[in-house]
Amino acid sequence: MYVYFSDEKFYTVEDAVEKLGFGPFQILVTVFAGLIWLADAMELMLLSVLSPNVKCLWDLSDSEEASITSVVFVGFFFGAFVWGAVCDVIGRKMGLLVVNVFVLVFGVLSAIPITSDPSAKYPAYPWLLLCRAGVGFGAGGTGQAVTYYAEFLPKRFRGVCITLQEMWWALGSILGAGLAVAVMVPGGLGWHWYLGLSTIPLFIAVSLFVFIPESARFYIVKGKYAKAEKVIKLIARYNCKQPLQGVLVSFEEKERREGCHNSEPVLVRYSEGDVVIGETSETLQQNEEDHPLLDDHDQSDSETTEIKDNVAVNFSTKRRVQLVTASLCTSVKSFLLKNLTLMFLNEMWKTTVLLFFLWFGAAWLYYGIVLLTTQFLQHDPHCGYVLNESNMTCEVLTRDDYISILWTGVAEVPGIVVTMVLVELIGRKLTMVAEFLLTMVGFLLLFVCGERILLTIFLFIIRAFATGVFQAIFVYTPEVYPTTVRAFALGTCSAAARIGAIITPYTAQVLVEHSDLATISLYAGSCLVLAILSCLLPIETKGRSLTDGGAGKNEVGKR
């Protein structure tokens, strides 16, 4: 069925989000996305507590200890690619549901003891590696919660809100450390209970999926305008606002229609509850000539059904499977080619390459300081620590160590607050530059010899700014890419980060055992390089609207 509009007012999802403002609906989505981040933080931060304990329990080498962390990020690396593509195909909501269930299942499995002897290395160690790799693969998609969240936020709130989401990550880190104080101290419940109790936020997050809708921007990209309009009406109802009047269109279609000087009417085709905007009488005629089955005047419903039945008979089951498989392969190739083209189109190639290095470096630094914290706290704080016969014995973390880890976790809160102010005050790019340099200063302070309290303060400073710069990059990335490729781009950038996270355990847990001076110098030098790369980003996204189409003038025009 076709409906004609000549002088109708057009609006986009961006217009609707800006008009409906920040209200109860955004608060609901904030809690939903926040719980995903909190659960993700607990699952990943427990690695800094888990690996030192099982190292002593199973008499693991330094490399075997580092592998417990690295295997998680190997899974994370592949998961980031897969889940980014999945969320662009099946939707943000359904993709996140599958991701969280995946993490939950493997998180519970890793907490189940598979041997009666807790000190037996085999098969417990391989089982732990397998399950934590599964957790990492699922956790590779939790960053899509940022994509989902950003698509519901008015632009004047987006930078602050996405930065504040890091508070949930900080809360997860603090809760993880607090849980370790309760159950991991000598004589406590032990690491199996620690892993099991860490999955509780995942149960809560999964239960909230029934209360949230799919992203309206995703529906627009898929051509499902009627469903997108229902989401917008839901937001209006939650926020006690009047729905927008007019015809919902894509960003590109609105620009095209507003740029037209003729009065040719726009046709809106309704099909199975969805609507396709933007056809004129000329394109409609062409479409009907190309697809005669769509013409109600040419063929009746019975004739159409007969044609479909005849076609179906001509295909064997084997042939159908072959056609479906070929179609699927073609769709995957087309999808990857399309998204990679958008990410490297025109000036976007420079942004994409730089972001790959920045994500890599941010993860290298952040997880490096998380792991270095337990390494430094296990030994008497002094400069130039070198492995020798007197310190080769395995040292289990004490209650004081766990409390110090808790304090360094608290450092993420001021780091987030500072980032929240800076991204809106000086912009995303300069925030990255400033915080990379401040992280470098923190690492250089570790060259100063001192007591445990001084060491804890230095670790606190590094953790704060390493957290802040990671969050600044998280704010920047979904803003710089259009909706059509946003989830895929965030996934591939997240995969680049996981390469850094895979490598950093062998620096923070292996190299440091031979020379902490070399380790500190390596991290400090990388901070300087990353600050320079941040300066080279060609686009500043502060105050910039999210776009729905391909990368082009609208994506790269604002600097």
Side-chain angles (χ1 to χ4, degrees):
M1 180 178 71
Y2 293 89
V3 180
Y4 289 82
F5 293 91
S6 57
D7 297 320
E8 287 283 352
K9 178 182 178 182
F10 298 99
Y11 71 94
T12 65
V13 173
E14 182 76 17
D15 296 331
V17 170
E18 293 297 325
K19 178 74 173 179
L20 298 176
F22 189 95
F25 177 82
Q26 280 71 24
I27 294 175
L28 172 64
V29 178
T30 297
V31 174
F32 166 74
L35 278 173
I36 293 176
W37 273 60
L38 185 150
D40 190 29
M42 290 190 70
E43 287 294 327
L44 295 180
M45 291 302 100
L46 61 80
L47 296 172
S48 63
V49 174
L50 174 65
S51 54
N53 279 271
V54 296
K55 177 183 180 181
C56 293
L57 181 65
W58 294 334
D59 192 26
L60 302 179
S61 65
D62 293 335
S63 296
E64 287 175 324
E65 178 191 11
S67 296
I68 296 174
T69 301
S70 289
V71 74
V72 175
F73 292 110
V74 169
F76 212 128
F77 172 79
F78 291 104
F81 279 115
V82 172
W83 299 121
V86 166
C87 288
D88 275 333
V89 173
I90 69 173
R92 313 320 194 204
K93 176 183 175 180
M94 289 306 300
L96 283 170
L97 177 59
V98 176
V99 162
N100 280 272
V101 171
F102 202 96
V103 176
L104 178 60
V105 169
F106 279 94
V108 171
L109 287 176
S110 63
I112 299 175
I114 61 171
T115 177
S116 58
D117 183 5
S119 62
K121 179 178 178 180
Y122 297 102
Y125 177 65
W127 173 254
L128 181 63
L129 291 180
L130 176 65
C131 290
R132 297 319 293 179
V135 169
F137 183 80
T142 55
Q144 298 303 325
V146 177
T147 299
Y148 178 85
Y149 185 48
E151 293 180 352
F152 286 110
L153 294 173
K155 62 183 178 182
R156 65 182 180 276
F157 294 104
R158 194 181 303 130
V160 172
C161 288
I162 295 178
T163 306
L164 280 176
Q165 279 300 98
E166 183 72 10
M167 286 291 187
W168 291 89
W169 182 279
L171 180 60
S173 299
I174 294 169
L175 287 177
L179 183 62
V181 173
V183 303
M184 291 291 286
V185 293
L189 294 175
W191 66 271
H192 288 292
W193 277 94
Y194 181 56
L195 295 184
L197 293 173
S198 296
T199 63
I200 292 176
L202 284 169
F203 280 100
I204 301 173
V206 170
S207 67
L208 287 179
F209 273 87
V210 297
F211 299 105
I212 64 160
E214 181 54 85
S215 166
R217 293 179 186 272
F218 172 78
Y219 280 143
I220 290 293
V221 169
K222 295 301 180 181
K224 300 181 179 181
Y225 288 80
K227 291 184 177 181
E229 192 168 6
K230 288 181 180 179
V231 174
I232 292 171
K233 289 179 179 179
L234 177 67
I235 298 173
R237 188 163 65 250
Y238 266 94
N239 290 359
C240 300
K241 298 287 185 68
Q242 290 295 323
L244 273 70
Q245 300 299 314
V247 181
L248 177 62
V249 296
S250 67
F251 179 83
E252 290 73 18
E253 179 59 25
K254 182 183 177 184
E255 280 200 333
R256 188 180 73 82
R257 296 307 306 175
E258 289 179 347
C260 287
H261 299 290
N262 57 55
S263 58
E264 184 177 14
V266 177
L267 291 109
V268 183
R269 184 177 72 236
Y270 290 89
S271 174
E272 298 181 359
D274 295 328
V275 54
V276 179
I277 303 290
E279 295 196 49
T280 63
S281 56
E282 182 180 349
T283 57
L284 172 61
Q285 182 179 1
Q286 181 63 42
N287 287 339
E288 289 181 342
E289 291 174 355
D290 294 339
H291 306 284
L293 291 179
L294 295 177
D295 192 343
D296 294 336
H297 301 289
D298 290 339
Q299 294 182 344
S300 65
D301 291 339
S302 60
E303 290 173 331
T304 302
T305 302
E306 183 179 352
I307 290 174
K308 290 180 179 179
D309 291 341
N310 291 336
V311 172
V313 170
N314 292 329
F315 290 101
S316 64
T317 303
K318 181 178 180 180
R319 180 57 177 163
R320 290 179 186 177
V321 172
Q322 290 175 341
L323 288 174
V324 170
T325 303
S327 176
L328 180 61
C329 292
T330 302
S331 298
V332 171
K333 290 179 181 177
S334 176
F335 175 82
L336 292 174
L337 180 62
K338 172 188 171 184
N339 285 301
L340 290 174
T341 300
L342 286 172
M343 289 178 66
F344 290 92
L345 185 65
N346 299 330
E347 295 184 32
M348 289 303 295
W349 73 268
K350 185 184 296 183
T351 299
T352 299
V353 171
L354 288 172
L355 280 176
F356 282 172
F357 282 105
L358 291 175
W359 277 80
F360 171 92
W364 153 270
L365 293 172
Y366 177 78
Y367 293 107
I369 192 58
V370 169
L371 297 174
L372 278 175
T373 298
T374 55
Q375 293 295 319
F376 283 170
L377 292 175
Q378 278 184 302
H379 309 286
D380 293 332
H382 62 281
C383 297
Y385 172 76
V386 179
L387 184 68
N388 54 53
E389 293 296 328
S390 65
N391 54 38
M392 288 181 64
T393 58
C394 185
E395 299 180 29
V396 179
L397 293 170
T398 65
R399 184 180 182 85
D400 289 340
D401 293 332
Y402 288 123
I403 292 175
S404 295
I405 293 172
L406 178 61
W407 276 113
T408 58
V410 173
E412 298 196 3
V413 175
I416 294 166
V417 173
V418 170
T419 303
M420 179 182 65
V421 174
L422 290 179
V423 292
E424 296 301 333
L425 186 64
I426 64 175
R428 282 54 162 161
K429 288 172 53 179
L430 288 179
T431 298
M432 295 181 212
V433 174
E435 293 190 327
F436 273 130
L437 293 177
L438 289 170
T439 305
M440 179 185 70
V441 172
F443 273 111
L444 294 176
L445 288 174
L446 291 177
F447 285 119
V448 178
C449 299
E451 298 299 323
R452 172 181 286 261
I453 183 63
L454 192 60
L455 175 65
T456 303
I457 292 172
F458 295 158
L459 294 172
F460 186 98
I461 293 171
I462 300 170
R463 182 75 170 267
F465 290 114
T467 300
V469 74
F470 213 154
Q471 187 58 22
I473 297 172
F474 249 119
V475 172
Y476 181 88
T477 304
E479 290 182 333
V480 80
Y481 289 104
T483 302
T484 48
V485 73
R486 187 172 297 125
F488 182 81
L490 188 63
T492 52
C493 287
S494 182
R498 301 320 137 192
I499 298 176
I502 291 168
I503 297 173
T504 204
Y506 295 98
T507 305
Q509 293 180 313
V510 179
L511 177 61
V512 72
E513 292 289 342
H514 299 278
S515 173
D516 62 352
L517 295 178
T519 303
I520 294 169
S521 299
L522 192 57
Y523 281 117
S526 64
C527 289
L528 180 60
V529 173
L530 292 167
I532 295 172
L533 293 179
S534 300
C535 292
L536 299 178
L537 285 168
I539 304 170
E540 173 55 67
T541 62
K542 177 186 174 185
R544 185 173 182 264
S545 297
L546 293 183
T547 54
D548 295 326
K553 179 180 178 180
N554 293 320
E555 283 68 51
V556 298
K558 294 185 179 181
R559 302 299 177 88

